[in-house]
Amino acid sequence: MQLESMYQEIILDHYKNPHGRGLREPFDAEVHHVNPTCGDEVTLRLKVDGDTIADVSYEGMGCSISQASVSAMYDLVVGRTVPQALETGEHFMTLMQAKGDPSVAEKLEDELEDAVAFAGVSKYPARIKCALMSWMALKDASARALSAAHPTAPAGGTN
């Protein structure tokens, strides 16, 4: 129970003192994601330098879980390569699928840092989408930023 209380404090701290909040320029991709279940939303901008995430900026509104999750995500991904950040997102997804299993949180604690505080959220299926929304936005923005940086040749020939 003491651990759950600490996790709640971490989530509330990220909600009240968000890291990375405020849309900034320049950026390579911007996405807007909405959780249709509850109306939470986030607009996320991503700036990449080569394949490294130089900045993530965002604005959003919604519950403490959705807004704290994007703040914790910011701390985990800025300065990492896109593949490293996406792998961290997969670890967060594993945490969200753990149904509150403390052994999963323990295994992911070093990788997820403050984001491990969302372990308890996985016991509440309706709240999982709240916690995952920013991570899905990051995945979307990463794909857009990388495809813009490395456009492929148009398919088909000339007429």
Side-chain angles (χ1 to χ4, degrees):
M1 193 64 178
Q2 202 171 14
L3 187 61
E4 234 174 86
S5 177
M6 184 183 76
Y7 283 170
Q8 288 174 352
E9 285 181 36
I10 291 170
I11 291 171
L12 283 175
D13 185 52
H14 273 282
Y15 178 67
K16 291 176 181 175
N17 305 296
H19 304 176
R21 188 175 186 88
L23 294 173
R24 291 182 291 282
E25 293 186 19
F27 60 93
D28 297 307
E30 178 178 294
V31 298
H32 182 78
H33 281 225
V34 176
N35 179 349
T37 308
C38 63
D40 289 357
E41 58 184 82
V42 66
T43 299
L44 184 135
R45 289 181 176 173
L46 182 68
K47 176 67 180 157
V48 292
D49 182 8
D51 73 341
T52 300
I53 295 176
D55 190 31
V56 173
S57 63
Y58 65 92
E59 281 296 332
M61 58 184 222
C63 70
S64 59
I65 292 170
S66 71
Q67 300 306 296
S69 181
V70 69
S71 174
M73 180 194 75
Y74 169 86
D75 290 345
L76 287 170
V77 302
V78 172
R80 290 190 177 176
T81 66
V82 171
Q84 289 170 330
L86 295 177
E87 182 179 4
T88 300
E90 290 301 317
H91 291 155
F92 190 78
M93 175 71 83
T94 298
L95 183 71
M96 290 298 98
Q97 295 169 340
K99 296 181 174 34
D101 181 346
S103 68
V104 174
E106 189 177 313
K107 286 178 194 168
L108 295 173
E109 191 170 13
D110 288 341
E111 171 72 20
L112 294 178
E113 300 175 10
D114 278 1
V116 79
F118 294 87
V121 172
S122 70
K123 293 187 244 179
Y124 307 99
R127 305 311 299 267
I128 292 172
K129 284 185 181 180
C130 300
L132 286 175
M133 182 177 63
S134 59
W135 291 93
M136 296 300 104
L138 177 70
K139 192 173 184 179
D140 186 12
S142 296
R144 290 181 188 202
L146 293 179
S147 70
H150 307 288
T152 57
T158 58
N159 292 351

